[in-house]
Amino acid sequence: MKPVLFISDLHLSPERSAVNRLFHVFLNGPARAAEALYVLGDLFDSWAGDDDLDDPFNREMVAALGQLTGHGVVLYVMHGNRDLLMGERFAAACRAVLLPDPTLTHVCRVPTLLMHGDTLCTDDAAYQAFRAQVRDPAFQAAFLAKPLAERKAFIGQLRSRSEAEKGQKPAEIMDVNPGAVEAELRRHGFPRLIHGHTHRPARHLHDLEGRCCERWVLPDWYERGGYLACDEGGWRLVAL
Ligand code: MN
């Protein structure tokens, strides 16, 4: 059995060439040997709309993903908070399957809930209000109707503001809320949960009504990279 791999929070951007090189190594190595690759959000540091597919950096990355699917690896992509505007043209360009957040599926015969993870950070009320606004279809349609250059400038401003605010927020509110995690596990029938977003890679166990649910948190790719793998040998986090 070929392994199934999970990654998230690569935040690919032309400014971080070491990570981009690592991503190519990953795609040509472990990912190429996999049955399927799940990207659980924030593949790109920003995505202004699918009309930005002609940007040289985006084109290079999408071509690399297309090579992977050309080798028969099934590619699933979920939106994160940074790349929520990736759409059907992006998906078609690399033959990816876009996944809704959350998605309940079977991985290695185990019921598994896939999420980006930001919806679990319910203690950050300001972020949740912002998320509701940018996920609103009418808001997105109006935003995508603006010229590409204007959208990119707006995203750039948003980015600097969010970096400044992050320094002000206590570390706890940037993590998942245990109650929110448990509510999702209950609602979906006590599956295994895999998510990213918090950049706190770990394996957690949640005891709920006598059921033990495993929760894997994926690593980010800021300092280094990593992935979660599942095969007949079990589940493991692998650092790159
Ligand atoms: Mn995120």
Side-chain angles (χ1 to χ4, degrees), residues 1 5-6 36-37 51 81 84 126 145 154 162 182 189 198 206 217 221 228:
M1 177 196 157
L5 307 185
F6 301 84
L37 172 65
D51 52 347
N81 48 304
L84 76 166
F154 180 80
S162 121
E182 289 167 11
T198 60
H206 295 265
V217 186
W221 287 50
L228 174 67

Side-chain angles (χ1 to χ4, degrees), residues 1-121:
M1 177 196 157
K2 289 182 178 177
V4 178
L5 307 185
F6 301 84
I7 55 174
S8 73
D9 304 283
L10 289 89
H11 294 266
L12 297 176
S13 111
E15 282 93 63
R16 295 181 28 256
S17 50
V19 168
N20 302 333
R21 276 197 301 277
L22 193 60
F23 186 50
H24 285 298
V25 169
F26 170 73
L27 288 180
N28 292 316
R32 178 84 58 99
E35 177 73 36
L37 172 65
Y38 287 84
V39 184
L40 299 186
D42 290 350
L43 172 62
F44 289 96
D45 198 46
S46 70
W47 192 264
D50 282 0
D51 52 347
D52 206 14
L53 277 166
D54 294 331
D55 170 88
F57 177 76
N58 292 342
R59 198 163 51 211
E60 179 198 329
M61 290 300 161
V62 169
L65 292 167
Q67 267 181 16
L68 182 74
T69 54
H71 278 94
V73 180
V74 186
L75 174 65
Y76 298 98
V77 178
M78 183 178 279
H79 293 126
N81 48 304
R82 300 300 195 101
D83 52 14
L84 76 166
L85 292 174
M86 285 188 308
E88 291 301 335
R89 277 180 57 203
F90 158 80
C94 56
R95 293 175 297 271
V97 179
L98 290 177
L99 291 180
D101 182 2
T103 288
L104 182 63
T105 184
H106 278 77
V107 180
C108 302
R109 292 181 300 278
V110 178
T112 304
L113 184 64
L114 308 174
M115 306 178 81
H116 176 52
D118 55 336
T119 53
L120 300 170
C121 301

